[in-house]
Amino acid sequence: MILKVDRIDEKHVICIDKDKKYFAIEKSEITVPVEKGYFIVIDDNGNLTVSKEKPQKN
């Protein structure tokens, strides 16, 4: 799943997917700096990867 960071609040990173569904990820789950407009990829094992550029689909 590819999510785009929509905004960041005190405890959560709020993301949106391609279907315009919103997701809140706790900041403690993300171990690298993240900003609005970044992309977060969640793989089948639940691992998070952060990227400034939109990842290519496999």
Side-chain angles (χ1 to χ4, degrees), residues 39-57:
F39 293 89
I40 297 176
V41 178
I42 304 174
D43 69 17
D44 292 337
N45 296 319
N47 298 313
L48 302 177
T49 306
V50 176
S51 174
K52 290 182 183 180
E53 304 294 327
K54 186 172 183 178
Q56 298 294 328
K57 289 186 178 183

Side-chain angles (χ1 to χ4, degrees), residues 6 10 13 22 53 55 57-58:
D6 183 66
E10 203 170 297
V13 175
Y22 284 87
E53 304 294 327
K57 289 186 178 183
N58 294 336

Side-chain angles (χ1 to χ4, degrees), residues 3-9 11-15 25-41 48-53:
L3 303 173
K4 186 173 183 178
V5 177
D6 183 66
R7 64 186 178 276
I8 301 170
D9 68 21
K11 295 182 181 182
H12 297 94
V13 175
I14 311 300
C15 303
I25 302 172
E26 288 188 26
K27 284 183 175 179
S28 62
E29 299 274 334
I30 302 172
T31 59
V32 296
V34 65
E35 296 180 18
K36 180 179 178 178
Y38 279 32
F39 293 89
I40 297 176
V41 178
L48 302 177
T49 306
V50 176
S51 174
K52 290 182 183 180
E53 304 294 327

